[in-house]
Amino acid sequence: PCPGEILTCVKLAVPYDPADPDDERTLEVVFGVKPAAEESQGMLVVAVGGPGGAGIGDGALYLESGRFGEELPNSLDLVFFDARGIGLSHPLECAAAADNYDDASYTMDPESPAGEAAMLAAARTFAEECAAEMNEPDLLPYLATRYAVEDLEYFLEQIDQKQIYLYGESYGTQYAQTFAAAHPERIAGLMLDGVVDLSLTGEQF
């Protein structure tokens, strides 16, 4: 059981880089599953927001609150997951660096040139301190969305699930679009809520 015992946790050792067969390094990624209460009509995978949202914890809250109603849990197998680097999936955090950044940026004025420069400097310091606090420089480059979607593909291969309904919310829409582009044959239906437009740059978005 996952924490809270609403979902069943499935732990998989996934490669750092699925595209590099010579790289034997792995990390543990965790999926939370709730089988359909009645005869299953398919599988719904939920990608939550963030980046940094813990899907297994959110999924348990969604099910407890009745957010999915009664029909979906009755007729579909539901899957939530903690993406690599988050929650139960080899979590990486930098609480001290985040506190330092919050303290430094609280009084800055981004509307003035001096304030903008100070905020940029504080952001650079945070990035450096956060990476140092995590202290896993070899793993950090492999936490990008394009690697995380391959963890879902590996999970589906292991359970021999041919197609899924994929729901993404906020950042999860970026994840869902990236997965659908990489593995269109897996998609029975795609639902995007609060869409990240991947044709725009970060500043344009």
Side-chain angles (χ1 to χ4, degrees):
C2 295
E5 300 189 351
I6 293 176
L7 301 169
T8 298
C9 272
V10 178
K11 301 179 181 181
L12 294 177
V14 299
Y16 274 37
D17 184 357
D20 184 357
D22 296 326
D23 189 345
E24 298 180 352
R25 296 172 298 174
T26 62
L27 69 153
E28 187 176 81
V29 172
V30 182
F31 293 81
V33 181
K34 190 175 193 312
E38 301 172 1
E39 182 179 357
S40 176
Q41 303 299 313
M43 177 174 285
L44 173 66
V45 178
V46 177
V48 300
I56 291 174
D58 286 352
L61 291 174
Y62 292 170
L63 291 167
E64 280 184 325
S65 67
R67 177 170 176 172
F68 289 100
E70 293 184 4
E71 187 172 346
L72 277 181
N74 283 340
S75 60
L76 293 176
D77 303 316
L78 301 180
V79 175
F80 304 87
F81 60 91
D82 288 353
R84 49 174 64 193
I86 298 168
L88 302 177
S89 298
H90 199 106
L92 295 177
E93 298 179 342
C94 55
D99 286 344
N100 290 340
Y101 175 75
D102 288 343
D103 291 342
S105 63
Y106 183 72
T107 59
M108 293 179 186
D109 176 18
E111 300 301 323
S112 70
E116 181 179 1
M119 290 196 78
L120 288 170
R124 290 189 189 97
T125 298
F126 166 71
E128 293 167 358
E129 290 182 349
C130 184
E133 187 177 339
M134 288 178 176
N135 196 30
E136 294 205 41
D138 292 342
L139 177 58
L140 287 178
Y142 299 98
L143 299 182
T145 303
R146 65 190 180 98
Y147 295 110
V149 300
E150 295 307 319
D151 298 339
L152 175 57
E153 171 63 14
Y154 184 64
F155 169 75
L156 297 176
E157 287 179 356
Q158 296 306 303
I159 64 171
D160 195 28
Q161 181 75 28
K162 303 303 182 187
Q163 287 195 314
I164 59 172
Y165 300 102
L166 183 55
Y167 169 77
E169 55 190 21
S170 191
Y171 161 74
T173 69
Q174 178 174 331
Y175 182 98
Q177 291 174 84
T178 305
F179 180 89
H183 303 285
E185 74 285 353
R186 292 283 193 192
I187 302 298
L190 185 65
M191 294 149 282
L192 306 176
D193 184 1
V195 180
V196 176
D197 185 344
L198 300 185
S199 71
L200 303 178
T201 67
E203 288 187 358
Q204 289 171 333
F205 178 69

